[in-house]
Amino acid sequence: MDSRKRLEELRLLLAEHSQRYYVLDDPVISDGEYDHLFQELLEIEEKHPEWITPDSPSLRVGGAPLEKFSQVAHRLPMLSLENAFGDQDLLAFEDRLLRFLHQDDPPEYLAEPKLDGLAVELVYEGGVLIQGSTRGNGEVGEDITAQLRTVSSIPLRLRKGDRARLEVRGEVFMERAGLVALNGQRAAAGEPLFANPRNAAAGSLRQLDPAITAQRPLRFFVYGVSEPSVSGCRNQQELLNFLADLGLPVNSHVRFCPDMATVISHFAELAALRHELAYEIDGMVVKVNDFSLQARLGSKARAPRWAIACKFPAIQATTRIITVDFQVGRTGAVTPVAILEPVDVGGVMVSRATLHNGDEIERKGLHKGDTVLVQRAGDVIPEIVKAVVEKRDGSEEVIVMPTSCPVCSHPLLKPEGEAVTRCPNPHCPAQRLRSLVHFCSKAGLDIEGLGKKSVEQLFELKLIQDLPDIFFLKKEDLSSLEGWGEKSAENVLAAVNGAKTPSLSRFVAALGIRHVGEVTASLLERSFHSLESLIQATVDDLVEIEGLGEQVAQSTVEYFSDPAVQQMFVKFQQAGVQPQVESLDKKKLLLSGEVLLFTGSLKKLSRTEAKKMVKDHGGEITSGVTKKLTCLVVGEKPGSKLKKAQELGKKILTEDEFLQLVESV
Ligand code: IVH
């Protein structure tokens, strides 16, 4: 079979299997077989990039980063919903409907879970996803097509895709477990946490680099179309069945309700079920089922008359702040934690809540001894909403941030303009212990048997003091310890041995550099193909990388230039630790070992494209004409860089020559 035909066949096969896996939860081939087919598709596309279509599964991994989001006007506005807060409001909603319709017999309803995520519109033409956008202000949203293509449960091609244009709407969201894991990574990297699934979904979709979105565990459920009348369906229930037949994921807790009494009892059922779902719902959306009734009811300015969102009560409780602890994190950040009188918040006992930092305490005006309102935000992290000021009796005490480290007594710093108070002492035992725990954890090298407890034990016994020490552990050190034996010592040593060749990105993420989490680490791996060149990178080199900001660049360079860190790397080397660069056979690559720089204005390529080409071919990009540079590519009106490169005798290519070179392979 010719490869173009095969590519088409692979696209269809992969779409079918991905649908079975992500939408129907009914796979018929193994992950390995899927990967195999995917690899075959990638190989053909690599040879023939001109054959890549907008529904190619390869777009699921991200594609090229954008410079900025462009705007998309929705052909028909995306409306919002009015809120209801319980049975009385639902009955009043039905009263309003009947009055508006001038009729006595109540309509039938469809009740759907209200998903806590971000509303998006997906446009399919000829069955192929051609555009995806955020709701924005309802009239105009942002074009996030590339980002949405990475969401596995969004079909890139519909099952029966003959109709000209279909605009579907639904919610993109993150599962609770995905959010907890993501926040774990962010906490480890010293990045701010997402307070709820909606923020996490929005933050993940609004990434200019879709490769970052691709790494976030997002899901999608469809709940409607822009124009129900053109679907040929008579009611919302038929519409959802129709959309499911097209391969779009429909939530399984949607319920047909012949009357309002059923709606109300379903609301109670859904409220009880809510904690068992893998994702967060914040209420139930009630829709008049019949489309002709919907059309008669029409809309008000921002919301339709035929639907309402009935919200669950917030999960809150009151308790008292007993005292405040100050914890020193891996990066030295000192976090105040309120120790609470234990209280049941919606089925979960809460006895601590983070107060984030001194500014936050001041903003909320909290005192020790205060009675406070706590809630589980997005059902994930307990937080203090406010102090109940009326309950104060004068015994409350002001919460004062410490001025010296509670662990090592080193004076603390609070840089101007930053909210975080930090212990700057890199030898602070708290920081060292936390780094070790992170290094061995799932977010780090994932060394089985070296969980938090074991690492704490080994640290206290001074068997490990810095990261490389892990690789010098001996069997006799471990087997005689309390709670250990021959077998567990052997297992841990085997795991440690296996961790000597991590991928470069995993290793970098494990180091716990400030602001460098898993995502940044893989950006770094993609741009630097060895640990050595990463260590030598300058801030200018790093900010060249799309998706990597000044702050991250600064802290990365600061980290690697610290003499103590350099010493640590010598020790890593002695231990035989060798991070590997995955999936890149550097030797075979055209630009391996080459360090390029573009100057002047390019006519055929954007800077981003040009840089991507260099990286895809194994080359590196630098920011100035230095000794390291091997080749300068010049566009129109090159500046002083050309002269300097000529003086240094560097190789010079025009844009066309560069393109010819790259396209020659
Ligand atoms: S229907 C005109 N159905 O709730 C119909 N919305 O405040 C408007 N939402 O922006 C939307 N689950 O993000 C609908 N099953 C569902 C929903 C749902 C969540 C969100 C959606 C919308 C917001 C309305």
Side-chain angles (χ1 to χ4, degrees):
M1 188 191 294
D2 76 25
S3 44
R4 189 159 195 167
K5 273 236 174 66
R6 176 63 181 160
L7 182 63
E8 207 173 299
E9 189 177 88
L10 285 168
R11 266 201 305 267
L12 291 176
L13 268 173
L14 287 163
E16 174 69 23
H17 290 306
S18 153
Q19 225 251 334
R20 283 188 155 276
Y21 188 91
Y22 289 105
V23 181
L24 305 175
D25 198 11
D26 178 28
V28 289
I29 61 171
S30 68
D31 292 2
E33 283 168 289
Y34 183 90
D35 290 344
H36 208 77
L37 293 172
F38 194 72
Q39 207 51 42
E40 193 185 342
L41 172 117
L42 288 182
E43 276 162 27
I44 303 181
E45 286 188 348
E46 198 166 354
K47 284 200 201 110
H48 299 281
E50 71 279 12
W51 292 349
I52 300 177
T53 52
D55 63 335
S56 170
S58 62
L59 300 173
R60 294 262 193 228
V61 294
L66 311 177
E67 302 278 345
K68 68 177 187 51
F69 292 111
S70 46
Q71 300 216 308
V72 179
H74 301 296
R75 202 173 58 79
L76 293 165
M78 289 181 78
L79 297 177
S80 175
L81 292 174
E82 284 188 352
N83 288 329
F85 295 93
D87 305 358
Q88 290 311 313
D89 289 355
L90 284 173
L91 292 170
F93 168 66
E94 179 160 85
D95 278 348
R96 282 201 300 278
L97 292 178
L98 296 180
R99 247 181 292 133
F100 192 89
L101 293 169
H102 297 293
Q103 68 180 44
D104 294 329
D105 57 329
E108 295 169 338
Y109 301 96
L110 209 67
E112 305 173 6
K114 184 168 188 305
L115 307 152
D116 192 17
L118 198 75
V120 299
E121 176 167 75
L122 305 173
V123 181
Y124 289 90
E125 261 178 24
V128 174
L129 175 67
I130 56 148
Q131 187 176 66
S133 53
T134 61
R135 173 169 176 272
N137 63 9
E139 306 276 339
V140 178
E142 279 175 326
D143 187 334
I144 49 164
T145 313
Q147 288 70 12
L148 286 171
R149 282 197 180 111
T150 70
V151 178
S152 311
S153 48
I154 292 182
L156 301 178
R157 180 200 283 258
L158 298 177
R159 282 195 149 175
K160 301 168 197 158
D162 42 1
R163 59 175 52 242
R165 186 177 166 101
L166 182 68
E167 297 158 349
V168 308
R169 285 148 182 207
E171 198 88 348
V172 172
F173 60 96
M174 193 178 285
E175 289 191 356
R176 248 188 276 264
L179 176 56
V180 170
L182 179 61
N183 270 340
Q185 290 165 17
R186 292 175 72 87
E191 292 162 350
L193 306 191
F194 289 118
N196 55 48
R198 186 182 47 257
N199 290 358
S204 301
L205 285 173
R206 292 200 72 263
Q207 291 286 338
L208 286 168
D209 185 353
I212 298 180
T213 312
Q215 298 186 27
R216 303 280 169 88
L218 296 172
R219 283 181 64 184
F220 171 76
F221 279 128
V222 66
Y223 55 66
V225 293
S226 61
E227 220 173 346
S229 55
V230 302
S231 66
C233 301
R234 286 168 305 172
N235 57 49
Q236 174 72 3
Q237 191 177 27
E238 275 183 18
L239 177 70
L240 292 184
N241 288 334
F242 164 77
L243 294 172
D245 279 346
L246 292 180
L248 289 153
V250 174
N251 188 286
S252 58
H253 299 285
V254 171
R255 170 89 98 88
F256 171 77
C257 301
D259 51 38
M260 191 47 90
T262 317
V263 171
I264 288 172
S265 70
H266 186 56
F267 183 62
E269 277 167 38
L270 211 52
L273 180 77
R274 141 174 219 213
H275 303 292
E276 284 162 39
L277 299 178
Y279 45 85
E280 180 67 17
I281 58 176
D282 54 356
M284 180 176 81
V285 180
V286 186
K287 299 177 181 175
V288 169
N289 195 31
D290 190 290
F291 284 155
S292 59
L293 280 183
Q294 284 190 10
R296 274 174 62 200
L297 285 159
S299 302
K300 292 197 274 191
R302 292 186 54 243
R305 285 194 192 83
W306 46 263
I308 197 155
C310 195
K311 296 284 196 74
F312 296 135
I315 311 176
Q316 292 185 329
T318 51
T319 182
R320 212 175 61 88
I321 300 183
I322 304 171
T323 185
V324 175
D325 265 4
F326 296 94
Q327 291 185 345
V328 186
R330 185 166 48 74
T331 58
V334 178
T335 309
V337 178
I339 308 301
L340 306 170
E341 273 171 9
V343 61
D344 181 326
V345 189
V348 175
M349 284 310 275
V350 172
S351 56
R352 320 157 55 79
T354 172
L355 299 174
H356 302 287
N357 52 56
D359 293 0
E360 182 84 358
I361 295 175
E362 222 166 281
R363 204 169 58 76
K364 291 188 174 153
L366 301 175
H367 290 67
K368 273 186 215 168
D370 263 344
T371 299
V372 289
L373 191 63
V374 281
Q375 79 176 10
R376 289 198 290 125
D379 249 4
V380 185
I381 317 159
E383 70 170 8
I384 295 184
V385 185
K386 60 169 189 181
V388 186
V389 184
E390 304 78 52
K391 292 251 169 111
R392 287 200 178 139
D393 63 9
S395 67
E396 295 75 19
E397 289 169 44
V398 174
I399 302 169
V400 190
M401 286 297 286
T403 52
S404 58
C405 177
V407 179
C408 73
S409 308
H410 195 288
L412 297 178
L413 289 183
K414 183 171 182 277
E416 187 96 9
E418 276 187 35
V420 177
T421 305
R422 213 173 278 283
C423 169
N425 171 16
H427 307 292
C428 173
Q431 291 184 46
R432 276 189 293 146
L433 173 58
R434 297 277 175 136
S435 305
L436 275 162
V437 170
H438 169 75
F439 189 70
C440 301
S441 75
K442 284 215 158 52
L445 295 189
D446 195 9
I447 304 178
E448 216 177 312
L450 286 186
K452 190 163 175 246
K453 285 255 149 57
S454 313
V455 172
E456 279 171 358
Q457 183 188 21
L458 299 178
F459 184 76
E460 264 154 40
L461 294 169
K462 299 221 170 354
L463 285 169
I464 50 176
Q465 288 294 288
D466 63 9
L467 307 182
D469 280 349
I470 306 263
F471 298 98
F472 291 100
L473 283 169
K474 291 193 201 58
K475 192 170 156 194
E476 53 274 26
D477 291 339
L478 301 175
S479 54
S480 57
L481 299 181
E482 200 191 321
W484 292 70
E486 293 273 316
K487 191 82 203 124
S488 53
E490 272 168 27
N491 288 345
V492 163
L493 290 183
V496 166
N497 212 24
K500 282 185 181 170
T501 48
S503 71
L504 180 58
S505 58
R506 188 175 269 277
F507 182 70
V508 171
L511 292 173
I513 305 167
R514 233 177 112 195
H515 306 300
V516 179
E518 231 162 292
V519 173
T520 309
S522 36
L523 286 177
L524 291 172
E525 174 174 47
R526 261 199 272 164
S527 311
F528 297 91
H529 304 134
S530 71
L531 182 60
E532 291 69 33
S533 47
L534 172 60
I535 291 176
Q536 283 163 19
T538 63
V539 172
D540 287 343
D541 294 338
L542 291 170
V543 291
E544 286 287 301
I545 301 171
E546 183 70 38
L548 212 144
E550 178 86 28
Q551 201 183 32
V552 183
Q554 289 282 6
S555 76
T556 306
V557 170
E558 237 165 66
Y559 178 85
F560 287 116
S561 52
D562 180 345
V565 169
Q566 284 164 2
Q567 246 173 18
M568 190 170 83
F569 275 91
V570 174
K571 224 167 136 185
F572 272 132
Q573 214 166 13
Q574 287 164 349
V577 176
Q578 276 178 336
Q580 308 287 308
V581 173
E582 278 173 348
S583 73
L584 249 185
D585 192 348
K586 281 188 287 174
K587 294 213 176 55
K588 268 199 274 171
L589 289 172
L590 179 73
L591 298 177
S592 140
E594 300 282 339
V595 180
L596 283 85
L597 172 64
F598 292 86
T599 187
S601 60
L602 304 179
K603 278 175 304 179
K604 299 194 175 145
L605 291 169
S606 75
R607 282 288 161 118
T608 317
E609 277 172 320
K611 285 176 194 165
K612 185 168 183 303
M613 279 182 163
V614 171
K615 285 179 191 148
D616 287 350
H617 289 85
E620 265 182 59
I621 292 281
T622 186
S623 53
V625 181
T626 55
K627 222 168 73 196
K628 201 171 124 192
L629 181 82
T630 61
C631 173
L632 184 76
V633 182
V634 290
E636 269 174 16
K637 302 209 188 99
S640 59
K641 286 188 179 143
L642 174 59
K643 200 155 153 258
K644 199 164 164 202
Q646 279 166 335
E647 280 165 14
L648 290 173
K650 302 288 181 188
K651 203 170 5 176
I652 315 265
L653 292 179
T654 63
E655 181 181 0
D656 281 332
E657 285 166 342
F658 169 74
L659 272 171
Q660 264 169 21
L661 176 72
V662 173
E663 280 162 6
S664 68
V665 285

